[in-house]
Amino acid sequence: MKLATYNNGRRDGVLMLVSRDLKKAVAVPAIANTMQQLMDSWDLLVPQLQELYEALNQGILPNTVDFEEDKCHSPLPRAYQWADGSAYVNHVELVRKARGAEMPESFWTDPLVYQGGSDSFIPPRADIPLASDEWGIDFESEIAVITDDVPMGVSAENAHKHIKLLMLVNDVSLRNLIPGELAKGFGFFQSKPSSSFSPVAVTPDELGDVWRDCKIHLPLVTHLNDELFGQPNAGVDMTFNFSDLVSHVAKTRPIGAGAIIGSGTISNYDRSAGSSCLAEKRMLEVIADGKPATRFMGFGDRVRVEMFDKENHSIFGSIDQQVVRYEP
């Protein structure tokens, strides 16, 4: 299934069932008004939704409307949990190498995860408002999963059963604020403003054989100011798959339905596919030339993140955003 949340002026929006080709949509108030309501009762409600989804794709469902990505909020406009990992360890290794730091061996066996703010996600087609373009504004193109209730201590072998939906992410980072925050020894906060997610979230079965080993084996395509920036394959060089990440997050506490867990920046050892964030490209320039040549984003810059199936059809819709000056 494919699902979205339309922004109807209310905090949690309205749940929409979306056709496979992203052309038609329908509200399903008789089943669930919001995405969180659906996540809270997933096993009970999904069979009913599946019947409607089949009818929607056959073109026989009444009361449908043309699907409009510009009307979408994030699939979950707010969430009880947003934990972002760094599953592509070669990306971490590269960043540390550029500043002459050795990477601990534990990074290859124990995932890195930070807890992000989940109360104010930015819609996928809305501007990214920031007060200063001297903060080192960067995008991070990622994938995330949404879970049902995850019991504490779930094993990596069983955690995949709790993955119900997948979506794309732009995890905005303020690179010039990060060093000062990390130096305090207490993690990110100001350097990680509101994130954004794709217009559409999809169930794993929609992906067919490209969803295997709890990874999506497709390129994640990022454009910066309408120029291709990178298209690394999300299924390649992913040290920790999504089942590993879910298990890690639930090691010492249960995770509530509707929790979002991210992959971190998609990155391949094969650099010909480009990068999924500006920081990685800058680090490659430092390693090659001793200094970065690529600037961070400024006001007016636009980023677009999208993933296509084997027939070149958009799967999740696109995150398409411009950085603007925040005016209180």
Side-chain angles (χ1 to χ4, degrees), residues 165-211:
L165 292 167
L166 296 106
M167 54 188 178
L168 307 183
V169 189
N170 177 20
D171 179 42
V172 181
S173 293
L174 304 178
R175 301 294 185 183
N176 293 341
L177 300 186
I178 288 176
E181 284 207 294
L182 294 186
K184 296 177 182 179
F186 215 54
F188 302 118
F189 196 88
Q190 292 178 337
S191 51
K192 289 289 188 176
S194 299
S195 298
S196 301
F197 300 88
S198 53
V200 174
V202 310
T203 51
D205 61 286
E206 281 290 318
L207 298 171
D209 63 359
V210 300
W211 172 251

Side-chain angles (χ1 to χ4, degrees), residues 122-145:
I122 301 174
R125 296 299 187 89
D127 292 335
I128 301 171
L130 293 167
S132 173
D133 60 359
E134 296 181 0
W135 288 342
I137 305 166
D138 200 357
F139 55 85
E140 291 191 63
S141 303
E142 309 180 9
I143 298 168
V145 299

Side-chain angles (χ1 to χ4, degrees), residues 94 98 229 275 278-296:
L94 176 66
F229 185 84
S275 299
L278 290 164
E280 181 172 287
K281 185 174 183 181
R282 287 167 58 90
M283 291 307 101
L284 288 168
E285 292 166 348
V286 168
I287 293 169
D289 305 317
K291 61 181 180 179
T294 299
R295 65 176 178 85
F296 287 120

